[in-house]
Structure formats: C-alpha cells, structure tokens
Amino acid sequence: MEEPNSSHLGIKIISFLLPIVGAILYFVYKTSSPAKSKAACNFALWGVGVGILLSIISTVMNG
C-alpha cells in the first residue's frame, strides 16, 4: 500500500511533457496504484491544455 502523501514527481513531469505517455501510465497504474494513475491522468490533461494554449498563442502572434 502507498503512502497518501508520496510524491510522484517523475510521473507528473513525464505525463505533462508527453501526454500520451501519461495516458498509458494511467492505464498501467489504474488498478495497482490509484494515486499514481490519477497523477498521470491529471498532468497529462494539463499538458494537453497547455499545448493547445501555446498553439493558439503562437498562431495569434504569427497571424
């Protein structure tokens, strides 16, 4: 059993920078480690959102 306050910094960073990896990690850890699974999913979604936002900003600045 995991500690409730344990930090999954590596998973969070990888999931944010490479959201597809975060999605894969979500399914890998879904049953065995729900905290890691949730962290991977949340940071993958944040990564997608930031990527879209940066794309919109880039398009507006170049257009």
Side-chain angles (χ1 to χ4, degrees):
M1 185 145 173
E2 308 181 3
E3 298 176 21
N5 293 330
S6 65
S7 176
H8 310 294
L9 186 62
I11 289 175
K12 291 176 182 179
I13 292 171
I14 291 172
S15 296
F16 182 78
L17 296 175
L18 302 169
I20 189 70
V21 174
I24 292 168
L25 289 174
Y26 169 76
F27 289 108
V28 168
Y29 290 122
K30 188 175 177 181
T31 56
S32 65
S33 182
K36 284 183 184 180
S37 175
K38 185 176 178 181
C41 182
N42 287 340
F43 277 80
L45 290 174
W46 274 102
V48 168
V50 169
I52 291 170
L53 183 65
L54 290 175
S55 177
I56 291 170
I57 291 171
S58 175
T59 302
V60 168
M61 295 298 276
N62 290 329

